[in-house]
Amino acid sequence: DEMRTETANALLKTLEEPPSYAYIILIAKNENSLLPTIRSRCRIFRFGKLSETNVEHVLRKLGIDFDKRVLKLCGGSVGNAMKLSESIVPELVERISKALSSNEREKHFVEISEEFKDISREDLELFINALESYLQSKDAYIKWMEVLKNARKFLKFYGKPRSIPEWMMLKTFGIIGEGKVV
């Protein structure tokens, strides 16, 4: 679903004349972002999120060591749960949650900001997704929706990984408003 038109047209040629020995499996987050001609040549299967119990069962079967925060943050995805179990993202989400309920937000902002200085794009994307999963069960989710959307856009197009979480925290901690310091 992130293919450019040229790539999608090249794929279309393969789908029109597939090799007899192969099965082609396309995975997309949004089927409507695919060309209609590609969708018309595919059988569509929709997969939903797994329950926390199912994710836990799969992780245990795979022998992956994890803490319970991973189950809340993975968004029903075993792949995300595996990545989260090997990262500092659960700790970062917990620290941001505590900071939001603190009266010393600015102090927490500086401390948490340091944790993002060497974050990769992949880990930042994992962080944004985990934070969204966490916030969906909270009243603050509506306040964060636009921030999360913009953070993904900044990450995709032009943001430095470190500056994006700093901007997110400034925006949601109430330190900055619409283009001005509050």
Side-chain angles (χ1 to χ4, degrees):
D1 55 341
E2 294 183 8
M3 290 185 287
R4 293 174 46 173
T5 305
E6 298 84 8
T7 307
N9 285 328
L11 175 63
L12 183 58
K13 176 82 169 132
T14 303
L15 291 174
E16 288 172 343
E17 301 170 16
S20 61
Y21 58 84
Y23 289 94
I24 300 170
I25 300 173
L26 305 176
I27 300 173
K29 292 178 185 174
N30 179 2
E31 72 183 71
N32 293 322
S33 64
L34 298 172
L35 292 176
T37 49
I38 290 179
R39 285 195 320 263
S40 70
R41 288 164 176 77
C42 297
R43 185 179 305 166
I44 297 174
F45 296 93
R46 291 178 182 82
F47 297 97
K49 296 177 180 182
L50 296 176
S51 69
E52 288 180 21
T53 305
N54 288 341
V55 172
E56 182 177 8
H57 176 75
V58 172
L59 292 176
R60 290 196 191 287
K61 284 281 192 188
L62 293 172
I64 295 173
D65 190 33
F66 63 95
D67 76 43
K68 294 289 184 182
R69 294 179 296 188
V70 166
L71 300 175
K72 299 267 184 233
L73 300 177
C74 71
S77 166
V78 173
N80 282 345
M82 292 169 63
K83 291 175 192 172
L84 285 165
S85 67
E86 298 173 352
S87 77
I88 64 164
V89 168
E91 177 66 27
L92 291 172
V93 171
E94 185 175 318
R95 289 182 65 194
I96 285 180
S97 171
K98 287 179 182 175
L100 284 170
S101 60
S102 170
N103 291 333
E104 299 177 326
R105 290 180 175 169
E106 291 83 4
K107 176 186 165 199
H108 290 286
F109 166 75
V110 173
E111 292 171 359
I112 295 169
S113 169
E114 281 300 308
E115 299 289 331
F116 289 100
K117 69 180 177 185
D118 296 322
I119 197 164
S120 68
R121 287 189 175 285
E122 294 78 22
D123 281 345
L124 182 55
E125 185 175 3
L126 185 63
F127 168 76
I128 293 169
N129 292 338
L131 186 60
E132 182 174 35
S133 292
Y134 169 77
L135 291 168
Q136 283 178 341
S137 64
K138 307 292 180 197
D139 292 335
Y141 181 64
I142 292 174
K143 177 182 176 183
W144 280 79
M145 279 178 23
E146 191 68 26
V147 172
L148 294 167
K149 180 180 136 195
N150 285 332
R152 284 188 178 96
K153 184 171 73 172
F154 296 156
L155 180 63
K156 185 173 182 177
F157 294 111
Y158 38 74
K160 291 182 187 176
R162 178 185 179 149
S163 62
I164 294 169
E166 289 176 346
W167 171 82
M168 290 171 64
M169 288 186 292
L170 286 169
K171 190 78 172 158
T172 54
F173 283 16
I175 298 170
I176 61 171
E178 294 302 318
K180 61 183 181 195
V181 177
V182 179

